Every structure is written in structure tokens, then in C-alpha cells.
Amino acid sequence: MSRPRIVIVGAGFAGYRTARTLSRLTRHQADITLLNPTDYFLYLPLLPQVAAGILEPRRVTVSLSGSLPHVRLVLGEADGIDLDEHTVHYTGPEGGEGTLPFDRLVLAAGSVNKLLPVPGVAEHAHGFRGLPEALYLRDHVTRQVELAAAADDREECAARCTFVVVGAGYTGTEVAAHGAMYTDAQVRKHPMRTGMRPRWMLLDVAPRVLPEMDERLSRTADRVLRQRGVDVRMGTSVKEATHDGVVLTDGTSVDTRTLVWCVGVRPDPLVESLGLPLERGRLLVDPHLQVPGRPELFACGDVAAVPDLTQPGEFTPMTAQHAWRHGKVCAQNVAASLGIGERRPYRHRDLGFVVDLGGAKAAANPLGLPMSGPAAGAVTRGYHLAAMPGNRVRVAADWLLDAVLPRQAVQLGLVRSWSVPLESASPEVARVAGRPEGAAKQTATSGTTGKDSHAEPAKSRPGGEPAKSRPGAEAAKNQPGGEAAKNQPGGEAAKNQPVGEPAKNQPGGEAAKNQPGGEPAKNQPHPPRAAGKPRRAGEGGGTGPARGSGKARKTSRASGAGRAAAPSGPTRAAGPPADPGPEPPANQPPPGPDIAPGPVKRTDGRRTEGDS
């Protein structure tokens, strides 16, 4: 008799814990497969320290194959699930496609950036959900301070050394706190000619910092931020963002080149394609983390609406602490469904929260005991070391070195602005030149506009972005041999390039007319894809699948171009695939300096949700 097949989608806090616990419980009695876009687990709470230069990037990552020796790792992104056939379709990092059969499926796909209908946000802001975004922000902030220090014009200097963070939740608060310390240290070594100093702004429509946490934590964080000179503005957000600045909801204009979007997260749109009952975008499950009516389907983490048994009628929030605990209970219940052990409901006990504010400062309430200052800092770092599944010695060593040695304020330029668009539903994977379209998940805003949702780099985005108004990053007109177009911002690539660069104004990234390499002629539809091979494309269009039918069907992600955006945000619906167009030419990184985009704005009055 063959062993049962268990497929886990996602290796975040919930997915990683599920795989690790299942591997221990089943003891080679089941085949466990983990599907994830990267080969590492990312410890998100320490990401702000990567952006601030305290920790090296690999310190906050844990190798999946190294720490899960009895789990098969498959690199790719799930873009279609057939619950009737018990298969998961995925697209690999190099464009290849495959199918994974399962007897038990665990959905732990996590969450993505949440966008709001604010003009200019998608074009001029960057999120903070993945390692590429943290590396880009570190380079960008370093570069802006260096350019500001060399500027003779006071207005230019002020704009470059002004940094706007939208969202005063857990992530935004830590980014602003660490960022202010990082830039102040840079300026102490190399003062600016104009005598100005960096300015950080933290905006949120909520009445206080950390609105979803204990008020004592909020007061501590607010006090530390203001002591460091952070301009904390509650009840205020961004009304409009441009390349040169932002307009706030109170009518104030702020000149800046940096806008960091930390307003919260939303569940991965993959679950919307299943046609099963949802709760605010999350898949409804019972207290055993099992989908009612689907005994083979489990869900945990940010994509699951798990009943909170300690507060009847409520669901557990989208936090890393809950996701980590979900994973353990989910693994136990999956094993129980195979006859190994007994089922148990998910019931949690709040252990409190910790917020690292940089240096020796932190805010914490372990077991409900409020703390601040160096004591809270020690508790916070001790908690992170205990919670990390690996790299503890390396992380502690980096903290020790940071305490006694100055940080290396250098920009490596490894991640360009067009590589980490805010619209991306895969912040953990940087978009690279020449990358196959099928390798990336692309989304538009969360049900905000009816625009083409192929997540193309926006107009006026410097830093090597593809050409203006070209879907799918089309190349610029009449440029030879891949050279950047003359007078084009950011070094856009050229039109009429050999081997498959698309023609001007061609929808869906069609190849240029009369180009060598077998490209189709102008205005010809893209060659059809093989049957049964759905691919992940833009998520901004189309309406979600009908609910309540009780019968699952095969679903995949189809292009949202030209459709009206659904109010609930992007979905993955079946339909003919549409190629959103190639990335910048292979082996030809976009030339020109990578200048950061302008700030972003938020005008709606909604509170932040799901900031984890």
C-alpha cells in the first residue's frame, strides 16, 4: 500500500511549523512535499534590522532543505488547485510547470501587501514584506543620504533626506525607529553641506501608534520615536503620491523621494479561487483547522479564518505568533486524519508582544507585564532568539558586533526599484531581467481600479525601470543592441531589439514585428499554451468564483487585463492565459542609476489590519 501524500503550500510561519511537526509525527509513514517560491524560511520580525544594516540577510533565513531533511522541497508558486482531482498546479522559478498530487492538502500561503485606492501609491511606494524589499530599502536610504550630503541646494537636500512611512503598526513602527537611528549615524560621520539632518515621518489614520496592541506599548513606542526626532502624525495619511513628494490628508505637501508602505497585509488571493466560504478574504475553517465539507483540506496562518475559542464569535488575528501555533496544531490534526494520534482544537494563550525599537530600546509585555527601556530590549532579543528555528549564534554574533563596531553604510545595488514593485503578490521573490513570465505572480491593487493589472513598472519610476506606459515592461523605441534609449528616464531598454523584445504598444508583451528568433508577427496573438497548463498572471481583474456550491473545481490564475477589478481584490480564476509581456531583456540589466521612487499616499479612513 502506498504511503499517503501530504502537500503543504507555503513555508512561512504556519507552513514551516506544519512541515517540521508532521515530519516528526509521521516518521516516514507519509510523503511530505513543501511547495514554496524560495528555499528558505524567513523570520519576518527581524526584517527591519536587515534594512537598518544590523543583521546580514542570511541571518534571518533558515534553509528548508537543511532544517527539514525528511520533507521534499519543490520550488514554485501554486497557481491552481483542483480539489476534485486532488492536484496542485504550480509554476517553477524558471517558468516550468508541474502538478503535485495529494491525499491531504495544507494551505499556508500567507499574506501579501495590502493596497488602498490612493493615487500614485502603486507607482511610487515600496512595501516591506520580503527580503528583496528590505535590501532595496537599505540601499535606497543609504543612497538618498549620500546624495543629500553632496547636494548644494537646500530643497533637494531636504527632499532626499525625508523618509515617509505609512502605517504605524508593528512593521511601520520598527522601520521608522531603526531607520532614524541608521540615518543619524550616517550623518554624524558625514555631515551635510547644508547643515540639515534626516527627517522621518510616521503616518497612520489610527489615533495612536500600534493601535492593535496594549496602550502601554503604544505610549512607550510613541515616546521613543519622538525622542529620536521621528515626526509621528496620527489621524493623518497620504492623499496622493508623486515622484517628488506626497500630499497628506490634512492638505500638507511633503517633498520626499522615499515612501514605505506598511499599512498591513491581506490573505494570499490563492484561496479566493477555491470557491469556498471566506471571511474577509480568509478561508473559513473549524477549530481543528479543517475546511468544513472537505476532509482532505486544511488551512492555517494568514489565509485561514480560525475561530478564537477564547473569544466566541471572533477569529484569531493575522500575526506571526498565531501562525506559528497554527502550524503545530494543524500538523497534529493532519496526522490524526491518517490515524496517527488524536485531533485537538486550536486554543491559544496570549504570551504578549515585543516591539524592537533599535539600540537598547524596546516595548514589551511578556505575560501581560509591561516593560520598557533596556529590560524590554533584553526580553525582546531573547524572545527572538528563542523563537528562531535556526541561526541563533549568527544572529547573536551580529548583535554583538553591531554594539561595538560601526555599521557599514554602503549600497550594493543588487536590487533595483523595478524588481520590487508594490503590486507584486510575491514580495519574497525579486523580479529579475529576462525572467520567464510564468515564474512570477503578479497582482494589481486590492480591488481599487479597473486598470490593467499586470504590475508593470510605473511611469517615471527611475532606477532602470522599463519604458513609459509599456505593458509588461516593453522596450523603448528604435534603440540598437539593447542600449538604453537616449533621454529616457532610468535607462529604458530599446525597441526593435533582437531575440524577442516586444514591439511598441503591443498588448500582452507580443514580440516585435520581423524580429529574429521565431517571434510572432505584429498584432498576432501569442502562441497558445499547452492544455492543462494554467499560469499565474495578473490578479486585478475579474470577479471571484461563486461560493456556496460545495463542489470545488479546478482553478488557476488568469489575466485581469481589461476587466473591472472585483471589490474583494484580485482572484485567480480559470480562463485563457494572457502573457503580460517579458521582463527587461535577458542578460541586460537596465542601465542607469537606481533612484528611489517618490512617496505614496493613503486617503481612506480605514484602520490598518493584519499587520504582523
Side-chain angles (χ1 to χ4, degrees):
M1 180 177 179
S2 62
R3 296 187 298 182
R5 299 161 299 183
I6 303 172
V7 174
I8 303 169
V9 178
F13 280 90
Y16 180 84
R17 186 80 184 276
T18 300
R20 193 172 73 169
T21 307
L22 266 174
S23 176
R24 176 177 55 84
L25 292 175
T26 58
R27 297 183 182 276
H28 307 289
Q29 299 179 46
D31 292 328
I32 305 173
T33 300
L34 181 60
L35 177 64
N36 197 59
T38 64
D39 65 350
Y40 60 81
F41 159 78
L42 175 64
Y43 190 76
L44 271 171
L46 292 181
L47 206 56
Q49 297 192 28
V50 174
I54 299 174
L55 296 177
E56 288 303 309
R58 284 184 295 179
R59 303 294 187 257
V60 299
T61 63
V62 177
S63 169
L64 295 177
S65 57
S67 59
L68 302 173
H70 304 301
V71 175
R72 177 194 174 204
L73 173 63
V74 175
L75 294 179
E77 299 179 62
D79 51 22
I81 298 176
D82 190 332
L83 294 178
D84 291 332
E85 296 295 330
H86 286 203
T87 57
V88 176
H89 182 272
Y90 68 92
T91 302
E94 295 184 352
E97 299 177 341
T99 301
L100 297 174
F102 64 84
D103 298 305
R104 298 291 185 273
L105 175 64
V106 179
L107 287 179
S111 53
V112 298
N113 290 314
K114 179 172 66 176
L115 298 185
L116 300 175
V118 180
V121 166
E123 294 83 0
H124 303 294
H126 286 283
F128 200 81
R129 288 289 299 167
L131 200 54
E133 292 173 321
L135 293 175
Y136 169 76
L137 182 62
R138 177 177 172 178
D139 274 3
H140 171 70
V141 170
T142 303
R143 178 172 58 254
Q144 294 309 305
V145 173
E146 292 171 347
L147 292 174
D152 294 320
D153 182 70
R154 288 186 62 85
E155 291 185 359
E156 179 186 356
C157 180
R160 291 195 180 280
C161 63
T162 297
F163 308 94
V164 179
V165 181
V166 183
Y170 183 95
T171 302
T173 299
E174 288 197 337
V175 168
H178 282 280
M181 288 189 66
Y182 180 58
T183 54
D184 284 346
Q186 281 186 270
V187 173
R188 280 195 296 269
K189 296 178 185 177
H190 305 286
M192 299 183 183
R193 296 184 184 182
T194 58
M196 303 185 70
R197 297 190 62 82
R199 174 193 182 194
W200 284 78
M201 298 181 66
L202 181 61
L203 313 176
D204 203 305
V205 295
R208 59 185 174 89
V209 175
L210 302 174
E212 296 182 350
M213 298 186 184
D214 187 277
E215 289 190 16
R216 291 169 290 188
L217 292 181
S218 295
R219 289 195 296 268
T220 299
D222 187 273
R223 181 177 66 253
V224 172
L225 289 170
R226 294 182 188 276
Q227 287 174 351
R228 290 187 182 155
V230 177
D231 185 358
V232 180
R233 299 192 186 186
M234 296 295 98
T236 305
S237 190
V238 174
K239 181 179 180 181
E240 182 183 359
T242 66
H243 177 71
D244 299 319
V246 293
V247 179
L248 306 184
T249 52
D250 60 6
T252 306
S253 295
V254 178
D255 293 335
T256 180
R257 300 292 187 272
T258 307
L259 185 57
V260 187
W261 192 253
C262 301
V263 300
V265 295
R266 58 187 175 87
D268 192 295
L270 175 65
V271 298
E272 297 179 5
S273 66
L274 298 176
L276 298 174
L278 303 176
E279 169 63 28
R280 302 182 69 178
R282 294 195 283 172
L283 192 61
L284 277 172
V285 298
D286 61 23
H288 299 90
L289 307 181
Q290 195 168 21
V291 176
R294 284 288 175 179
E296 77 283 4
L297 180 59
F298 295 78
C300 54
D302 290 351
V303 298
V306 182
D308 189 343
L309 298 183
T310 64
Q311 301 181 47
E314 300 291 330
F315 297 93
T316 59
M318 296 166 62
T319 64
Q321 192 176 117
H322 278 290
W324 187 251
R325 299 173 184 175
H326 286 175
K328 181 179 179 180
V329 175
C330 184
Q332 292 171 334
N333 292 334
V334 171
S337 71
L338 300 175
I340 305 172
E342 297 181 356
R343 294 206 313 166
R344 55 170 290 190
Y346 176 74
R347 189 185 299 272
H348 75 281
R349 177 170 174 253
D350 191 359
L351 299 179
F353 289 91
V354 295
V355 182
D356 190 341
L357 300 174
K361 301 294 182 66
N365 62 345
L367 302 177
L369 177 65
M371 303 176 67
S372 61
V379 169
T380 298
R381 296 204 167 182
Y383 169 80
H384 286 316
L385 285 179
M388 286 196 68
N391 290 346
R392 295 185 180 93
V393 175
R394 289 186 172 95
V395 169
D398 275 5
W399 283 340
L400 178 61
L401 292 174
D402 181 69
V404 298
L405 296 175
R407 298 180 199 173
Q408 293 179 294
V410 296
Q411 47 170 321
L412 301 179
L414 299 178
V415 181
R416 314 307 279 287
S417 62
W418 59 265
S419 299
V420 284
L422 184 62
E423 312 94 305
S424 175
S426 293
E428 67 275 13
V429 180
R431 192 174 299 177
V432 297
R435 184 179 179 194
E437 286 300 320
K441 199 188 338 183
Q442 301 178 12
T443 63
T445 57
S446 166
T448 58
T449 67
K451 298 180 180 179
D452 188 330
S453 59
H454 291 309
E456 64 273 77
K459 172 184 176 181
S460 77
R461 240 197 186 154
E465 291 82 344
K468 171 182 176 182
S469 303
R470 307 281 177 85
E474 287 88 340
K477 181 178 180 181
N478 297 327
Q479 293 297 322
E483 298 169 358
K486 184 177 180 181
N487 300 324
Q488 292 287 337
E492 288 121 344
K495 181 184 175 183
N496 298 328
Q497 299 199 18
V499 193
E501 277 74 4
K504 180 180 179 183
N505 299 325
Q506 289 294 324
E510 295 159 356
K513 182 177 181 180
N514 299 326
Q515 292 293 326
E519 292 82 347
K522 183 176 180 180
N523 298 325
Q524 291 300 318
H526 212 282
R529 299 172 60 83
K533 299 280 187 178
R535 68 179 300 165
R536 181 174 302 184
E539 299 173 357
T543 58
R547 301 180 189 174
S549 63
K551 181 179 179 180
R553 58 192 178 281
K554 186 169 184 179
T555 58
S556 62
R557 297 181 186 171
S559 170
R563 301 182 185 177
S568 61
T571 62
R572 296 168 181 158
D579 193 339
E583 296 293 347
N587 303 319
Q588 167 84 28
D594 182 21
I595 301 174
V600 98
K601 311 175 182 191
R602 167 175 137 198
T603 53
D604 74 311
R606 292 187 287 177
R607 292 168 61 101
T608 60
E609 299 175 359
D611 192 304
S612 57

